[in-house]
Amino acid sequence: MAVLSGAMISGTAQAENWDLPLAWPATNYISVSAQKFADDVKTATDGRIEITLHTGGSLGFKGPEMLSTVGDGLVPIGDMLLNQQVGTEPLLGMTSLPYFLSSFEQLKQFNDYFRPTLDKLMEKNNQKLLYTIPWPQQQIWTKTEVTDIASLSGIKIRSYDRASTDVFASAGMTPVQLPWGEVIPSLAAGAIDAVATSSPSAVDGSFWEFIKYGYPTRQTWNMNAMTVNLDRWNALGEEDQKAIMDLAMKLEPAFWQAAQDEDAKNSAILKEHGIALAPISDALRAELAKRAEPLRAAALEKMGGDAKTIVDGFKPK
């Protein structure tokens, strides 16, 4: 009995609970994907690792802090929006270079190409990369129809940081930098005529009450990463490490598909409410990309290091 009791105590001591902070609500597809991962990790490790989600920013950690939060071990595991971490690691903003990637397929190809660099950046910051998950395509939602570059001129569009302000200004628009909480009141008051965001946010904001058109400009792409503190990772047995990584690689394609499914679902909702969704012409996309070229060059210069080499080496199929 003493031997059995000791074994039970030892087994219990080996079990770990990892608190996982998420900025997104529990119903967001990124949180849903994280819950799937957590459930499967518990099964794959026979309960030795249990991940508890804390959604909606309930643990108090802010998005731009997540790289250091996980690296410093304040939490054992974390989900982060990569382009929010550029203050620490500029190369994490690669997918957000204006008009660098033109499609979701190119984003997937770049994810594969960039993965070894991303692994090294996370290791440098004392963490292990588990999987990535993208956000849906960026779109411009407007009150007026867009047919060519001239039709964008003077449109007052909500921007969310210096980079987006510069991108919209290069297109001849009039950017107005606003936090998300002021977007809907500003649309209602006529202070802005357009918003750049993805379809889930358009649905969350009931854009059909103010907006008539949606255009997939794809001026930038956003991607999240799930990482684990490297000290906690190295403390795991090889069996559990292999089980978790095998699971992450198995689930990642499904998580990427979830972003596409989310976009399709929300696009259907927006159409049902009367918003006209239409592609922009190749000529307009080319003109927007041309105007953004100096911004891309300046961003690459600011990133320094291997940024230009990485961009030049990427050959989309």
Side-chain angles (χ1 to χ4, degrees):
M1 288 293 292
V3 172
L4 179 60
S5 176
M8 291 175 67
I9 293 173
S10 175
T12 302
Q14 291 176 0
E16 293 192 45
N17 188 300
W18 289 357
D19 290 312
L20 168 57
L22 290 144
W24 332 110
T27 54
N28 182 282
Y29 74 98
I30 289 181
S31 299
V32 172
S33 297
Q35 186 64 64
K36 168 66 175 172
F37 178 69
D39 292 342
D40 288 2
V41 163
K42 182 177 181 180
T43 300
T45 61
D46 294 325
R48 289 184 293 275
I49 304 295
E50 186 167 353
I51 301 172
T52 301
L53 272 63
H54 300 271
T55 57
S58 59
L59 287 187
F61 298 110
K62 297 180 180 179
E65 301 171 348
M66 285 310 301
L67 188 66
S68 59
T69 295
V70 178
D72 292 343
L74 299 180
V75 291
I77 188 171
D79 163 85
M80 67 190 73
L81 180 59
L82 291 179
N83 66 352
Q84 285 188 331
Q85 318 308 317
V86 294
T88 305
E89 289 293 349
L91 288 179
L92 295 182
M94 295 294 293
T95 63
S96 296
L97 287 169
Y99 294 100
F100 168 44
L101 303 168
S102 63
S103 68
F104 192 81
E105 287 304 314
Q106 282 193 9
L107 179 65
K108 286 199 293 186
Q109 292 169 28
F110 185 78
N111 181 58
D112 294 338
Y113 165 78
F114 190 59
R115 188 60 172 256
T117 300
L118 188 54
D119 281 329
K120 290 177 184 177
L121 289 172
M122 291 305 173
E123 185 175 359
K124 174 186 171 185
N125 287 274
N126 196 40
Q127 46 209 289
K128 174 74 173 176
L129 175 65
L130 298 177
Y131 65 79
T132 60
I133 183 169
W135 287 87
Q137 61 186 349
Q138 287 287 303
Q139 302 195 60
I140 288 179
W141 307 90
T142 70
K143 294 181 179 181
T144 56
E145 188 176 9
V146 172
T147 55
D148 54 18
I149 195 70
S151 60
L152 288 172
S153 180
I155 290 179
K156 292 176 291 184
I157 184 169
R158 177 256 181 171
S159 63
Y160 43 87
D161 58 14
R162 176 62 183 271
S164 63
T165 296
D166 291 343
V167 168
F168 300 140
S170 74
M173 306 177 83
T174 302
V176 180
Q177 194 164 324
L178 295 170
W180 177 254
E182 294 180 23
V183 169
I184 303 306
S186 296
L187 280 171
I192 56 174
D193 311 307
V195 182
T197 189
S198 56
S199 59
S201 295
V203 171
D204 290 344
S206 301
F207 276 14
W208 50 83
E209 295 181 8
F210 316 100
I211 295 294
K212 294 183 178 180
Y213 304 95
Y215 301 97
T217 45
R218 307 181 192 121
Q219 69 274 6
T220 60
W221 291 90
N222 297 323
M223 193 165 71
N224 280 33
M226 183 72 72
T227 68
V228 59
N229 175 272
L230 197 56
D231 299 321
R232 299 294 289 268
W233 177 259
N234 289 336
L236 297 178
E238 290 184 7
E239 180 183 357
D240 285 341
Q241 286 182 349
K242 184 178 186 306
I244 293 171
M245 280 310 304
D246 286 351
L247 185 60
M249 291 301 95
K250 175 186 175 184
L251 290 175
E252 185 173 283
F255 293 165
W256 276 65
Q257 183 59 46
Q260 289 289 71
D261 294 344
E262 187 75 6
D263 192 34
K265 179 188 75 175
N266 286 290
S267 294
I269 293 172
L270 291 160
K271 283 182 179 179
E272 288 174 3
H273 283 85
I275 292 183
L277 303 180
I280 62 173
S281 69
D282 292 341
L284 177 54
R285 183 177 298 282
E287 179 63 23
L288 290 169
K290 178 182 177 181
R291 292 185 176 208
E293 177 59 39
L295 302 177
R296 287 198 303 279
L300 284 172
E301 182 73 22
K302 188 175 181 180
M303 284 180 181
D306 298 327
K308 189 174 187 306
T309 301
I310 291 170
V311 168
D312 291 344
F314 177 58
K315 308 297 182 185
K317 299 175 182 178

